Amino acid sequence: MRSTRSGGGNAQTPERTCVLSRRTGSRDELIRLALGPDGQVLPDVRAKAPGRGAWIGVPRPELDSAIVKGKLKGALSRAFKTGELTVPSDLGEKIEAALRQAVLDRLGMEARSGNLINGADRVEQAARMGKVRLLLHAADAGLDGRRRLDQAWRVGGAEERGLSRGLEIPVERTILSMALGRENVVHVALIDPAAAARVLHALSRWRAFIGVGRGLEGGDAALATGSADLTNEGTE
């Protein structure tokens, strides 16, 4: 754990080390793995499982390769201080599914809290008025619709916050609609700053793991707004 101090305060920022790359990063940047009672290595993307944890900060292709070559098992055996563990061959798939579900769950919660709007016309109007804090498009959203809403967002001041376009959610509209409990959701706008930060944090982790963005090296321009204050994310 590194301690950072500013203005006489005492703030501690927990950092972890990826067992594969040995790069360090914050808990928000890395993904925690936990060891189950039966010795199975399981994803713990919310970092809430009890016991010792190990951390990874590589995208899925690198993780899958490390699993096949046995490198991940060796690294985890050292981290967990035991050779009695099993690394599932589909661990990468399990992590991706967990990250995906975390995003969909977060979007559903923000929708129920009234922090999210959808519908191209509503989103465009809110974007032009400067009310949109984060703009999202379903994976199957049309190019013309994306461009129109991205332009409206820029008119509303998105570029002043370091943004130039909306982010793609790597699921199609049918999945997005089910997550929000609404019909035909193609474009989504977060209108509350804190809600936008929470969604951006979850989405950034998912996108980085599947190779959209650059993980610990940083993300695309639209990911540069930072992550939410996840004080309830859990501790190791």
Side-chain angles (χ1 to χ4, degrees), residues 3-178:
S3 176
T4 58
R5 298 180 180 178
S6 176
N10 186 0
Q12 291 183 325
T13 303
E15 288 199 341
R16 301 292 185 264
T17 301
C18 172
V19 297
L20 288 173
S21 69
R22 307 308 301 172
R23 291 189 301 238
T24 60
S26 71
R27 292 162 50 88
D28 290 350
E29 294 173 305
L30 276 68
I31 297 169
R32 189 176 189 265
L33 301 178
L35 192 60
D38 59 353
Q40 285 277 329
V41 176
L42 303 170
D44 180 27
V45 300
R46 301 181 191 274
K48 291 188 176 184
R52 180 184 293 273
W55 301 79
I56 58 168
V58 297
R60 182 175 172 181
E62 291 184 37
L63 178 66
D64 289 342
S65 176
I67 293 173
V68 171
K69 295 178 180 179
K71 291 182 178 179
L72 181 61
K73 183 173 183 179
L76 291 178
S77 294
R78 292 187 292 272
F80 288 120
K81 301 185 185 305
T82 178
E84 300 299 320
L85 56 82
T86 302
V87 179
S89 60
D90 62 346
L91 181 61
E93 181 180 345
K94 291 178 184 294
I95 293 173
E96 182 174 339
L99 291 170
R100 172 181 180 268
Q101 193 59 50
V103 172
L104 296 176
D105 288 347
R106 172 52 59 187
L107 286 170
M109 286 187 281
E110 301 302 349
R112 291 190 293 273
S113 298
N115 297 324
L116 176 155
I117 61 174
N118 66 285
D121 292 340
R122 291 186 66 201
V123 170
E124 181 177 13
Q125 182 179 15
R128 290 187 180 278
M129 295 175 65
K131 295 181 178 180
V132 173
R133 299 297 177 176
L134 181 63
L135 176 62
L136 305 173
H137 306 299
D140 58 343
L143 184 59
D144 289 344
R146 295 186 192 216
R147 288 174 173 170
R148 177 163 63 93
L149 296 184
D150 289 348
Q151 175 60 26
W153 198 25
R154 287 191 290 270
V155 169
E159 292 181 323
E160 297 176 5
R161 297 189 291 273
L163 307 172
S164 61
R165 63 187 183 278
L167 290 176
E168 179 180 299
I169 306 176
V171 294
E172 297 182 347
R173 68 186 71 188
T174 53
I175 302 299
L176 190 56
S177 300
M178 290 176 60

